[in-house]
Amino acid sequence: MPSLNRTLKLLIGLLVVGAFVFALYTQAGELSKHTFDVAPLYLAASGLLALLRGPFVVYPWWRIVRSWGYPLPWWRAVRLYFHSGLARYLPGQYWYVVGRAYLAEREGIPKSITAASTLVETVLVTGSAAGVALLGIATAPRWNASLRVLLISLGILLPVALLAATGSHVSTRFWDWLMHRLGRAHLPSRLTWGDASRALLGCYANWVLYGLIALFALAGVSGGDYLAHAPAVIGIFAASVLGAAVVLFVPQGLVIREGILVYLLNTLLAVPIPEAIATAALTRLIATAAEGLWALIALRV
């Protein structure tokens, strides 16, 4: 059964990639004819936001580790986080956990603590992405009132559920059940409400900044259009990252994330396909360059 599941995921991923490549091929003529209204200042703002996002990427995991009694210095956390994060570009996406555990062990943090804290971080990061996606997409103009209320309600409830799952006594049963399903030992500790709240706020700030990178990239290729739809673009981008995370064999959801982003921008906000494709490519390029720069900065501190 596990091999069948892997095969199905592989086939689904290949179909999605193939569909995106085919769509790109069919749009080649329109891409070459489309006139982009390039706004360099918006593109520069996208790059600046990508750099500012760096600390917010690291903060949730660092907060979890420190709350469990391991006083990892901030800049060492930045170094091991971004250096281990380079493994995200390998097939499987989650090789970074192995790299993070190896580097953290050199800082005196047991591998079990790193693995457990990364799992908690993943729950917070994934849940907050879903929350941002729901709240943002709810502002897209195409929804009727009842569906909009439903999306907003779910988006508001998600952070409450995440805090209950990570920062309260109620979370004990949840984590015991999850670790049992994963065949792992129980978590070594629990987050306090305060630490869980701070880690979750860091996750939300990270997703908002990440979405703003996409927003200003879109504004940069459309002459400043779509800024009025900022919440929707942020939500659409979060949804595209979540969708791509399902296909593990593709490094960083490459092409799949872009395909989902292009589809949602065009469907929900009527962004022309050429501008949506340019936005997806630029967002990937800018964010990846910023992460690489942070990895270089970490070598110097």
Side-chain angles (χ1 to χ4, degrees):
M1 187 62 70
S3 60
L4 177 60
N5 289 335
R6 286 194 295 269
T7 302
L8 287 175
K9 287 181 179 179
L10 177 62
L11 289 174
I12 292 171
L14 289 174
L15 285 173
V16 173
V17 173
F20 180 76
V21 172
F22 177 75
L24 186 61
Y25 172 77
T26 59
Q27 293 291 327
E30 187 176 347
L31 278 168
S32 62
K33 296 176 183 177
H34 188 81
T35 301
F36 292 96
D37 186 4
V38 179
L41 287 179
Y42 288 124
L43 295 177
S46 181
L48 178 60
L49 287 167
L51 288 174
L52 292 176
R53 173 177 166 259
F56 294 95
V57 178
V58 182
Y59 179 80
W61 177 74
W62 177 74
R63 170 54 57 188
I64 294 167
V65 171
R66 287 184 66 88
S67 73
W68 287 359
Y70 293 88
L72 178 66
W74 169 250
W75 281 110
R76 290 185 183 177
V78 171
R79 179 186 298 178
L80 73 86
Y81 195 98
F82 281 106
H83 288 181
S84 63
L86 296 174
R88 294 176 188 270
Y89 296 95
L90 297 174
Q93 294 197 46
Y94 294 104
W95 286 109
Y96 75 92
V97 180
V98 177
R100 186 186 296 182
Y102 170 75
L103 293 175
E105 191 172 40
R106 297 168 63 181
E107 300 292 340
I109 303 173
K111 291 179 180 177
S112 59
I113 295 295
T114 302
S117 60
T118 301
L119 178 61
V120 176
E121 177 207 16
T122 301
V123 170
L124 290 175
V125 169
T126 304
S128 58
V132 169
L134 288 167
L135 291 173
I137 289 176
T139 67
R142 65 171 297 171
W143 310 120
N144 57 45
S146 58
L147 185 55
R148 194 186 307 276
V149 169
L150 175 61
L151 292 174
I152 291 174
S153 299
L154 291 174
I156 292 173
L157 287 174
L158 256 177
V160 177
L162 289 170
L163 287 176
T166 56
S168 72
H169 295 295
V170 179
S171 68
T172 301
R173 290 185 178 180
F174 167 76
W175 285 108
D176 287 348
W177 170 82
L178 182 60
M179 299 306 282
H180 176 73
R181 295 286 296 177
L182 295 174
R184 303 293 182 182
H186 292 173
L187 286 184
S189 183
R190 295 288 187 273
L191 293 175
T192 64
W193 275 101
D195 285 322
S197 298
R198 284 189 283 270
L200 186 59
L201 282 173
C203 291
Y204 271 90
N206 170 46
W207 284 114
V208 170
L209 284 171
Y210 211 175
L212 286 173
I213 296 169
L215 172 68
F216 281 104
L218 175 58
V221 298
S222 64
D225 290 344
Y226 307 103
L227 289 175
H229 296 296
V233 174
I234 292 171
I236 286 170
F237 181 76
S240 72
V241 177
L242 277 177
V246 175
V247 187
L248 300 181
F249 78 95
V250 179
Q252 282 286 79
L254 188 65
V255 176
I256 296 176
R257 187 181 87 183
E258 283 72 25
I260 297 172
L261 182 58
V262 169
Y263 173 79
L264 291 178
L265 285 175
N266 179 255
T267 302
L268 298 181
L269 297 180
V271 177
I273 292 293
E275 292 179 9
I277 291 174
T279 298
L282 283 170
T283 302
R284 170 77 70 175
L285 178 63
I286 291 169
T288 302
E291 290 174 6
L293 186 57
W294 272 103
L296 290 175
I297 292 171
L299 287 173
R300 302 291 182 179
V301 295

